[in-house]
Amino acid sequence: MDTGYFSEWIPRFIQYLKMRNYSAKTLSSYNHTLTRFGHYIWLSRNSSGDISRAWFKHEPLRLETGAQVSSIEITDYLSFLTRGRDYHATTLNRILSSLSSFYRFLIMQDIIQANPVPRIDRPRVKEKELRYLKHSQVIRLLRSIPDPRDRLIIRIIYATGVRVSELCSINVEDIDMDDQMIRVKGKGGKFRMVFIDDETLVDIDEAVGNRLSGPLFYGQQGKNISPRTVQHIFTKYAPAGITPHKIRHSYASELYRRSKNLRVVQENLGHASIKTTEVYLHTDLDERRKVYRDFFPLSTHDQRSGNE
């Protein structure tokens, strides 16, 4: 099968994402990741010795670089990236996700038959990278914030699990007070409905007043609030290391811990793949203790009594 070349299919893939309303920042990230990977693949197939980082950085993407790769080549690429440099597991997982999206696109175009990425073990995210706040800690954080607007911004992220970009784009007309839902615009321009609790809606109602339209939170020149402003609010009030994404993490973890419904958590977060959702999940310590005591043979009542 003629698989084509990176130089041919990367622009087509970027155009495909552009037609799906991906942001310019996301398009740039995909293009950068895939082009660097294409550089590496050509060098690994055509160089006789170790690939120089300087050469890798400045080499142009060769037209004849075949786009079909093996999982071993991808694994070698990750090893190359981490050689002498400490990459966060989250960064490596993002690279793998970008590659997987690209190869799913090639499958759709009948260019390749199988996606090589799922065969690769994804790097485990360290606990310190997964730090998030439990429910009681989020509540204490909210109580510590004197400014009503800033408190509401953080509360909405926790109450709904929305991304910062989604929060910033919310308009008054997107909020359904009767059905307790908010219409948000997610990645790729996709809209979804998120649910919200009574108390947060009361705070929203007070903030909105008699307005029927326009930004929920105003920024400069009467436009919607910017992500940078939201980041500043977290820097001002939240504990070190707690970002808007970590509060979204708290939302996902709490919802799953109480519901055990991974599919609902995925849909509420706006994830295209359930694998993306799994990184947010934690097994509750009390649940683990109860399962151990109830089901592990050495810990069950029958075994403690000496019965088989």
Side-chain angles (χ1 to χ4, degrees), residues 64-219:
E64 67 273 24
T65 309
Q68 182 165 327
V69 301
S70 68
S71 57
I72 293 176
E73 287 179 299
I74 297 177
T75 301
D76 289 344
Y77 176 60
L78 297 182
S79 298
F80 168 78
L81 290 178
T82 55
R83 195 181 307 157
R85 181 175 176 181
D86 185 20
Y87 271 77
H88 286 299
T90 49
T91 301
L92 297 177
N93 280 320
R94 180 189 58 76
I95 291 171
L96 285 174
S97 295
S98 298
L99 293 176
S100 185
S101 296
F102 176 63
Y103 283 107
R104 285 200 303 269
F105 172 73
L106 294 187
I107 291 172
M108 289 168 48
Q109 303 301 316
D110 292 326
I111 300 304
I112 62 174
Q113 295 180 334
N115 186 343
V117 177
R119 302 189 187 96
I120 300 169
D121 290 332
R122 286 181 175 259
R124 292 182 61 84
V125 179
K126 298 177 182 178
E127 281 299 319
K128 65 179 182 180
E129 294 181 48
L130 281 175
R131 185 184 175 193
Y132 71 109
L133 298 182
K134 294 182 179 180
H135 175 71
S136 60
Q137 294 172 312
V138 177
I139 297 303
R140 286 202 298 273
L141 169 62
L142 293 173
R143 289 172 178 167
S144 72
I145 301 173
D147 185 278
R149 186 205 68 165
D150 294 352
R151 183 171 60 248
L152 180 57
I153 284 173
I154 295 179
R155 185 179 180 103
I156 289 176
I157 294 175
Y158 181 56
T160 63
V162 294
R163 303 176 177 92
V164 170
S165 59
E166 294 169 346
L167 170 80
C168 293
S169 66
I170 294 175
N171 291 320
V172 174
E173 58 267 31
D174 297 324
I175 304 168
D176 188 330
M177 294 287 187
D178 294 326
D179 289 336
Q180 298 179 305
M181 295 189 298
I182 301 177
R183 183 173 180 262
V184 297
K185 185 178 182 180
K187 288 186 175 181
K190 293 182 179 179
F191 288 92
R192 74 180 188 281
M193 303 299 293
V194 296
F195 306 97
I196 194 160
D197 64 285
D198 290 331
E199 188 173 341
T200 305
L201 275 175
V202 169
D203 292 343
I204 290 175
D205 192 43
E206 291 180 0
V208 169
N210 295 324
R211 291 191 292 124
L212 299 176
S213 62
L216 173 58
F217 298 110
Y218 279 105

